[in-house]
Amino acid sequence: MHNNTDLQSFKQKTNQFLQHLTAKEKIVVAEIDSLRQILRFHEHRYYILNDPLISDFEYDQLYQALKETEIANPHLITPDSPTQRVGSSINKSFATLPHLVPMLSLENSYNADDLLDWDRKAKEQSNLDNIEYCIEPKFDGASISLIYENDLLVRGTTRGDGVEGEEITNNIKQIRSIPLSAPFSKYGIQQIEIRGEIVMTKAAFTQYNESLIAQGLSPLANPRNAASGSLRMKDPKEVAKRNLDAFFYHVSYYNLSSRPLTVDRSMKDSELQNYQQTTVEGNRLTVNPLSTHSNSLQLLWDLGFRSPQKEKQVVQGIDEVIKHVHDFEMMRDTLPYEIDGMVIKVNDFALQEKLGMTTHHPRWAIAFKFKARQATTKLRNIEFQVGRTGAVTPVAKLDPVQVGGVTVSSISVHNEEYIREKDLQIGDTVLIERAGDVIPQIVKSQPELRDGTQTPIDFPKECPVCKSPLFKEEGEAVWRCINIECEAQVVEKIIHFVSKDAMDIKSFGEANVRKFYELGLLKDIPGIYTINFNALGTLEGFGKKSIDNLTAAIEASKQQPLYRLIYGLGIRFVGETTAKALANSVNHLLDFASKTEEDLQQLDDVGVKVAKSIHHFFSNEQNIAMLHQLEALGLQLVNTKKETVSSGGLQDQTFLFTGTLSRLKRSDAEALAEEHGGKIVSGVSSKLNYLVVGEDAGSKLEKAKKINTIKIITENEFLELVGKEL
Ligand code: IVH
């Protein structure tokens, strides 16, 4: 979408804006549009190209600047502003609307013979010896149709019955790789209907399922279900949480405004070279990007859509098709998303039209379906494993079987309810599926094959490790061991603490944690910092060098930033993002000990459930004692990053004035704080940094006293802070 010249100018504009922001210059109304363009540019880099140029923090600053400018100038908000994705209201119902062109299905093929047959018919019908084909992945998701009018996304619909679909525009807007506007008019296109597939990447699927499991819910079966189930969700915010993606592979309809599909010379050469039908007549350039299928994919890509531009392959004749689809099948597992085959399309649009369609499918396209990665095997046993939060997870032990190139012998079956839903019994024949690099699953049992030797699965009533009784919270599917001294939990907690995303103690690893624990050299998290290395020296496999490395890694971890420590503590529901938000909200980790659940809920990313869990953790005396111990051992419990920010000025510090000031008018005092980079807020919460108190301060002062991160200062102290001599 952008060439090098654009890149330079966007980089320059981005820097200018970031500098403006730090200087706290007001962004003038006329700059809103420019700011939107900058944000769209960075969204495209991030969501389509997977190659961001700026940090999330910098993006957030720009986004916030736009948001604030729009709040101050609501009449300037446009429907395609980057701020207009979020906050859509709840969908009450979904209207049924006709597609501009029916959404047909595809004919399927399963082998080379099927493809040869199809090619022969197409050649006969078109009187050609050889046909040019465009091949692309068959995305395994949920199909949708979008309409853009005058460059603006006006409608998104599900496939429905192919003739009519349900309007799901609000949900579609939550998918960040779908542009809210695109410059179709540059090519003279006034209205266009495009087709594509909503998919969930394998990584997003794994992450989403992990979050479901952490909440005690059953995971979703595969990325396709995760994508299709999200389209008709009532709450668009839930759709946003699923981090969906979208590929667009078909232009089903377009109409032109008065301008034809031509452009003038100002259009960059590099862009034109991408299209086959480009003619130069004197000073005029004519480009028709909609003459072949591969060009239409190029057009969509150039306009900011994720089309299979990089994945597509144009080939001459069916033999090359057969070779390519087989080659592609071999590397299907290396893709970041699921595909269930390839789609082969006649490349030339004029020829497509000549071939036409049946009532069911176009004759110019065919799907080549990959072999299903399924297998059957015997379920031999269920083992119950205890995780770091005490959750007891049943794991099915299977007769080893090959599925999609890997041997599977063990599969998590999540919880008691899941076992019941799948009707699993020990001794059952079960159907296994492996979707890409996604963890294998049991699709179903085959009760019709039972021979009387099967036995039902009894879920234990006590912890398989420490034997204390298990508990299940209301509304949860997971049984838990609540004995925090349970050995299994202790070991898992230490493993989590040293892991890469937490304290990242290199070369410590799961195996070493287990070994040290079994040898009695390590019994809890603080114990990591007091391991008796003399005893270690006598162990096989631990030479001086490995001990030195381990000691250095342990020592280095003491300087890890606070958020890593918070994440490493393994507080339920506190993932990395929440840990970062938490770390930034305090000066010292133990400040959390005096926070109420309400205080915690004020923080970004912290809802009722998370607040409750954090509060629970910091109300536990043993946990507090452990944190004191860690501090005494030299770990970083102070938020160092925040200190440097505040010592440099009042940048982003929040102020609230209360009571009667004696030297300054309230409005002048507020202006003074803002001049020095501060922000004025309207109420007392943990987001407040300074409460400036005058005479007769009342309830605000009382409330602020309870939150120990708030600095309560007098008017004179405030004047000192902003450098005004008294
Ligand atoms: S073209 C008129 N291309 O597969 C032609 N479809 O089994 C419209 N699909 O309904 C379809 N990837 O939802 C096309 N690259 C691709 C595709 C694709 C996935 C889906 C689509 C279609 C279904 C047919």
Side-chain angles (χ1 to χ4, degrees):
M1 175 160 96
H2 299 281
N3 58 30
N4 277 339
T5 327
D6 283 346
L7 195 71
Q8 286 312 323
S9 93
F10 271 111
K11 275 184 182 166
Q12 212 175 7
K13 281 191 210 168
T14 305
N15 285 338
Q16 276 168 9
F17 263 102
L18 288 169
Q19 276 162 16
H20 276 209
L21 287 175
T22 42
K24 276 284 167 279
E25 266 177 35
K26 285 253 181 300
I27 292 174
V28 292
V29 172
E31 285 179 314
I32 277 195
D33 189 50
S34 176
L35 187 46
R36 285 191 190 122
Q37 280 182 35
I38 290 175
L39 279 161
R40 284 191 200 113
F41 169 79
H42 289 296
E43 287 178 354
H44 183 256
R45 299 283 317 190
Y46 188 93
Y47 291 104
I48 306 278
L49 304 181
N50 295 326
D51 185 17
L53 287 181
I54 55 174
S55 67
D56 290 1
F57 177 70
E58 287 168 320
Y59 176 87
D60 289 346
Q61 275 185 294
L62 293 165
Y63 184 91
Q64 221 38 52
L66 175 61
K67 185 101 196 167
E68 281 165 22
T69 319
E70 286 184 345
I71 289 171
N73 303 279
H75 57 291
L76 294 176
I77 299 177
T78 57
D80 63 337
S81 171
T83 58
Q84 298 305 295
R85 291 186 191 271
V86 288
S88 320
S89 52
I90 299 288
N91 297 304
K92 289 196 188 68
S93 62
F94 300 99
T96 304
L97 296 172
H99 297 297
L100 298 186
V101 172
M103 274 174 99
L104 295 186
S105 200
L106 288 173
E107 185 182 355
N108 284 330
S109 65
Y110 300 91
N111 50 45
D113 285 347
D114 293 348
L115 288 173
L116 287 165
D117 254 10
W118 174 70
D119 172 67
R120 186 180 39 75
K121 279 188 246 160
K123 283 191 296 206
E124 270 170 24
Q125 210 188 326
S126 59
N127 269 328
L128 289 170
D129 295 337
N130 201 46
I131 294 180
E132 180 176 88
Y133 293 112
C134 182
I135 314 167
E136 67 207 30
K138 185 171 187 306
F139 301 100
D140 199 7
S143 51
I144 54 149
S145 177
L146 302 183
I147 297 179
Y148 286 78
E149 276 171 11
N150 304 318
D151 294 346
L152 214 57
L153 170 65
V154 292
R155 200 176 100 174
T157 35
T158 62
R159 179 174 190 279
D161 62 4
V163 177
E164 296 178 325
E166 285 180 301
E167 210 245 48
I168 50 160
T169 319
N170 274 344
N171 286 353
I172 289 296
K173 285 185 178 172
Q174 308 308 315
I175 302 168
R176 305 294 290 263
S177 55
I178 296 183
L180 297 181
S181 62
F184 286 105
S185 56
K186 190 164 151 186
Y187 296 90
I189 298 168
Q190 188 266 329
Q191 188 193 33
I192 187 163
E193 186 184 55
I194 60 174
R195 302 273 157 85
E197 206 82 358
I198 303 292
V199 298
M200 192 184 250
T201 61
K202 293 169 187 171
F205 175 72
T206 308
Q207 198 184 23
Y208 186 66
N209 262 356
E210 275 169 6
S211 77
L212 290 180
I213 293 167
Q215 291 171 60
L217 302 169
S218 290
L220 299 174
N222 53 47
R224 186 195 331 112
N225 287 12
S228 62
S230 60
L231 294 187
R232 299 179 69 263
M233 288 208 298
K234 292 275 181 225
D235 185 354
K237 286 205 183 70
E238 289 299 315
V239 183
K241 280 188 196 159
R242 295 196 175 192
N243 286 325
L244 299 166
D245 248 300
F247 280 93
F248 292 90
Y249 46 67
H250 183 58
V251 173
S252 47
Y253 173 86
Y254 65 92
N255 72 32
L256 303 178
S257 57
S258 51
R259 275 202 301 149
L261 275 169
T262 60
V263 292
D264 58 45
R265 274 165 56 88
S266 64
M267 224 172 103
K268 312 275 185 312
D269 281 351
S270 59
E271 215 164 314
L272 286 178
Q273 281 163 15
N274 295 326
Y275 303 110
Q276 288 172 9
Q277 288 197 6
T278 304
T279 53
V280 184
E281 276 172 42
N283 279 345
R284 279 200 67 72
L285 304 172
T286 304
V287 56
N288 181 1
L290 289 164
S291 61
T292 63
H293 178 68
S294 61
N295 274 186
S296 72
L297 297 181
Q298 175 80 53
L299 177 72
L300 290 173
W301 180 262
D302 287 345
L303 291 173
F305 292 86
R306 183 178 293 225
S307 71
Q309 169 60 19
K310 301 265 189 291
E311 296 85 351
K312 78 178 182 198
Q313 176 90 2
V314 176
V315 301
Q316 308 300 325
I318 202 71
D319 293 341
E320 285 187 36
V321 168
I322 292 167
K323 180 170 181 332
H324 183 71
V325 295
H326 284 121
D327 287 350
F328 212 92
E329 182 165 11
M330 303 294 283
M331 50 162 269
R332 118 193 232 202
D333 286 343
T334 65
L335 296 173
Y337 46 81
E338 272 300 312
I339 66 173
D340 59 343
M342 304 294 284
V343 182
I344 301 109
K345 295 173 181 172
V346 168
N347 202 26
D348 184 55
F349 278 163
L351 184 50
Q352 283 192 4
E353 205 160 322
K354 196 165 174 187
L355 293 169
M357 46 189 79
T358 71
T359 50
H360 171 259
H361 60 258
R363 288 194 196 89
W364 45 261
I366 193 163
F368 177 80
K369 301 278 273 192
F370 291 158
K371 283 173 226 51
R373 286 173 302 197
Q374 290 188 331
T376 52
T377 187
K378 279 264 162 58
L379 168 56
R380 290 296 174 197
N381 191 18
I382 296 277
E383 272 180 23
F384 294 91
Q385 295 178 353
V386 186
R388 74 182 152 84
T389 60
V392 176
T393 312
V395 178
K397 296 289 162 184
L398 312 159
D399 281 351
V401 63
Q402 286 272 322
V403 197
V406 293
T407 309
V408 178
S409 59
S410 180
I411 291 184
S412 166
V413 281
H414 311 298
N415 54 51
E416 196 181 16
E417 221 168 279
Y418 189 89
I419 293 175
R420 208 172 326 116
E421 272 167 24
K422 301 264 165 182
D423 183 20
L424 302 180
Q425 295 194 4
I426 294 176
D428 263 348
T429 303
V430 287
L431 183 66
I432 311 292
E433 185 180 77
R434 192 175 149 258
D437 55 7
V438 174
I439 306 146
Q441 318 231 5
I442 295 187
V443 182
K444 57 175 188 173
S445 67
Q446 296 184 321
E448 64 280 7
L449 298 180
R450 283 181 190 151
D451 58 7
T453 60
Q454 284 71 21
T455 52
I457 295 163
D458 286 329
F459 213 90
K461 294 282 168 286
E462 44 184 53
C463 173
V465 177
C466 73
K467 307 292 172 213
S468 50
L470 298 181
F471 288 91
K472 185 156 88 163
E473 272 173 47
E474 223 180 276
E476 277 213 0
V478 176
W479 285 95
R480 276 175 208 284
C481 164
I482 58 163
N483 168 19
I484 55 167
E485 282 166 22
C486 169
E487 274 189 17
Q489 287 185 54
V490 172
V491 171
E492 295 297 331
K493 280 197 175 101
I494 303 175
I495 291 171
H496 174 73
F497 188 85
V498 302
S499 69
K500 191 164 171 291
D501 293 339
M503 296 299 270
D504 192 19
I505 307 187
K506 300 220 168 47
S507 65
F508 209 125
E510 178 170 345
N512 281 342
V513 173
R514 291 193 193 284
K515 195 173 211 171
F516 298 164
Y517 189 88
E518 276 161 25
L519 290 166
L521 294 173
L522 176 63
K523 60 177 183 21
D524 54 18
I525 287 173
I528 296 168
Y529 296 93
T530 56
I531 293 180
N532 177 359
F533 288 104
N534 292 334
L536 248 182
T538 60
L539 281 175
E540 209 179 310
F542 279 97
K544 181 168 175 339
K545 191 145 184 260
S546 34
I547 292 180
D548 286 349
N549 286 344
L550 204 49
T551 321
I554 292 172
E555 196 53 34
S557 77
K558 292 182 180 172
Q559 297 309 319
Q560 288 286 25
L562 184 57
Y563 82 88
R564 282 183 171 270
L565 174 60
I566 297 178
Y567 178 63
L569 293 174
I571 305 168
R572 258 184 96 193
F573 309 123
V574 176
E576 259 183 287
T577 319
T578 312
K580 282 183 185 162
L582 290 177
N584 278 330
S585 75
V586 287
N587 292 318
H588 190 282
L589 182 55
L590 285 164
D591 292 351
F592 284 116
S594 52
K595 287 197 191 289
T596 62
E597 283 180 33
E598 289 73 35
D599 297 335
L600 292 163
Q601 280 174 43
Q602 309 279 327
L603 301 173
D604 287 348
D605 228 42
V606 176
V608 179
K609 204 166 60 177
V610 185
K612 206 175 165 141
S613 165
I614 300 168
H615 186 255
H616 181 74
F617 182 92
F618 285 97
S619 309
N620 179 312
E621 277 177 24
Q622 271 172 299
N623 288 338
I624 299 295
M626 174 181 73
L627 293 177
H628 280 298
Q629 221 179 330
L630 289 176
E631 188 163 39
L633 288 164
L635 273 78
Q636 195 58 259
L637 269 64
V638 170
N639 181 5
T640 43
K641 189 170 149 210
K642 191 169 169 186
E643 271 186 351
T644 49
V645 172
S646 53
S647 62
L650 300 181
Q651 229 71 63
D652 291 323
Q653 295 289 298
T654 53
F655 286 83
L656 179 63
F657 294 85
T658 185
T660 318
L661 304 180
S662 57
R663 290 168 174 262
L664 295 165
K665 277 204 300 195
R666 173 81 61 97
S667 56
D668 289 345
E670 290 178 348
L672 204 53
E674 281 179 339
E675 255 176 54
H676 287 78
K679 277 191 202 154
I680 307 301
V681 295
S682 58
V684 176
S685 76
S686 58
K687 286 188 181 156
L688 177 62
N689 301 114
Y690 291 96
L691 182 74
V692 186
V693 286
E695 296 267 347
D696 296 319
S699 63
K700 284 187 178 139
L701 175 59
E702 288 318 306
K703 199 169 168 198
K705 280 181 180 166
K706 294 193 187 116
I707 306 177
N708 64 4
T709 51
I710 301 179
K711 299 180 194 70
I712 300 170
I713 59 173
T714 63
E715 190 182 358
N716 284 345
E717 284 169 328
F718 169 70
L719 286 166
E720 258 180 55
L721 199 63
V722 293
K724 289 263 178 280
E725 292 305 327
L726 302 177

